[in-house]
Amino acid sequence: MTANEIREAFKSFFREQGHLIVPSAPMVVKDDPTLMFTNAGMNQFKDVILGNAEPKSRRQSDSQKCLRVSGKHNDLEEVGHDTYHHTMFEMLGNWSFGDYFKKEAITYAYEFLVGRLGIDPRNLYVTVFEGYAADGLARDDEAAGYWEQYFPQEHIINGNRHDNFWEMGDTGPCGPCSEIHIDIRPDEEKAKVSGASLVNKDHPQIIEIWNLVFMQYERRADGSLVPLPNKVIDTGMGFERLCAVMQGKRSNYDTDVFQPSMRKIG
Ligand code: SER
């Protein structure tokens, strides 16, 4: 599949699930002094998530241009050193604003990757938030329970606050998340070392492709967590990573997202 076909497959899948497909927002954020550049698909929906505006539709989906040079989760140190982090990238996302929550978000993600794209689920690992006592948060057993319908226990991994509690910035909407990781190593390597032991260990062939955030809170300036008026699903999938997976490449730079420009420059 070409990159364009992959992007279209994502949008069609979520259109079929009743989502309104919306355009990417501009990368320079206006009217929000807490953020300079769009660093996630959810930025354009911040007012809706906080309950200050009505959504155009309770289900929306898009491909958002993001610039991750600032914000809480930027991974800037990795850019230029590895094959799968970028300063600018596209994030495929689906949102539910007070409509569906964890169960459907997990079902849609599995259905899209395995049912629609044909990815072998034996190569997928999922993480769930292990809890964080200082914020009074318990393990996300609910998400783990839904994943158990699709994966054996050894493919469901607990993750800490750094990896499994997503926050837009120091303040703003946030919540526990479940990440989907894929193991694209050759079979001989998989036989020697289990993929589960390499999740979130900076291995270039066991990478996160999709983050499902279950937004339930707003982080206030004093550090406290206040429940959101409506629960929100915010997912973000790394488009260039998905293209590498679908095109059988080891590096995002070898996909048709980058190759035509690189050849021309060359
Ligand atoms: N906001 C989450 C992220 O950026 C999911 O879209 O990873």
Side-chain angles (χ1 to χ4, degrees), residues 162-258:
H162 172 74
D163 291 317
N164 284 87
F165 194 85
W166 201 86
E167 311 202 32
M168 192 186 102
D170 291 332
T171 59
C174 57
C177 60
S178 258
E179 297 175 340
I180 304 174
H181 295 246
I182 188 159
D183 184 352
I184 53 170
R185 293 174 302 158
D187 287 342
E188 321 74 84
E189 284 183 38
K190 287 181 193 158
K192 279 189 223 142
V193 182
S194 82
S197 67
L198 297 172
V199 166
N200 274 329
K201 298 281 179 352
D202 295 331
H203 191 296
Q205 285 157 29
I206 300 176
I207 54 172
E208 176 197 344
I209 48 170
W210 202 346
N211 189 12
L212 315 184
V213 184
F214 313 124
M215 296 271 191
Q216 290 175 252
Y217 308 103
E218 176 186 359
R219 175 85 67 187
R220 293 271 167 89
D222 65 3
S224 60
L225 293 175
V226 181
L228 289 175
N230 278 311
K231 287 180 184 165
V232 169
I233 287 297
D234 155 30
T235 88
M237 176 147 57
F239 172 65
E240 297 79 3
R241 295 182 185 185
L242 182 64
C243 290
V245 169
M246 293 305 293
Q247 295 175 8
K249 306 290 186 198
R250 292 285 171 77
S251 163
N252 291 4
Y253 298 104
D254 291 337
T255 65
D256 67 342
V257 179
F258 293 97

Side-chain angles (χ1 to χ4, degrees), residues 14-144:
F14 281 100
R15 194 180 289 116
E16 287 161 27
Q17 318 305 326
H19 291 62
L20 175 72
I21 309 300
V22 295
S24 175
M27 276 202 298
V28 178
V29 178
K30 301 207 176 80
D31 307 323
D32 185 349
T34 69
L35 205 60
M36 194 173 283
F37 300 110
T38 294
N39 69 349
M42 51 72 65
N43 294 167
Q44 66 166 311
F45 302 113
K46 184 177 166 186
D47 279 344
V48 171
I49 296 171
L50 294 178
N52 300 328
E54 272 300 306
K56 273 195 239 149
S57 162
R58 297 219 164 263
R59 295 176 175 223
Q60 300 193 37
S61 177
D62 72 3
S63 176
Q64 172 67 49
K65 293 183 285 262
C66 298
L67 194 65
R68 280 221 171 158
V69 294
S70 59
K72 225 177 165 68
H73 306 260
N74 66 56
D75 292 323
L76 189 57
E77 264 82 66
E78 321 298 334
V79 176
H81 297 283
D82 68 18
T83 48
Y84 59 105
H85 285 96
H86 307 291
T87 45
M88 189 206 149
F89 60 96
E90 277 184 57
M91 191 181 273
L92 303 171
N94 58 288
W95 287 271
S96 154
F97 305 112
D99 188 340
Y100 61 86
F101 203 47
K102 296 183 190 183
K103 182 170 193 279
E104 293 84 349
I106 286 172
T107 305
Y108 291 155
Y110 185 88
E111 280 296 314
F112 179 67
L113 293 177
V114 177
R116 188 62 57 96
L117 296 185
I119 291 176
D120 185 342
R122 287 174 300 183
N123 293 330
L124 296 176
Y125 293 86
V126 296
T127 61
V128 296
F129 179 52
E130 67 185 5
Y132 185 61
D135 276 335
L137 300 171
R139 177 179 185 260
D140 193 350
D141 290 334
E142 186 190 352

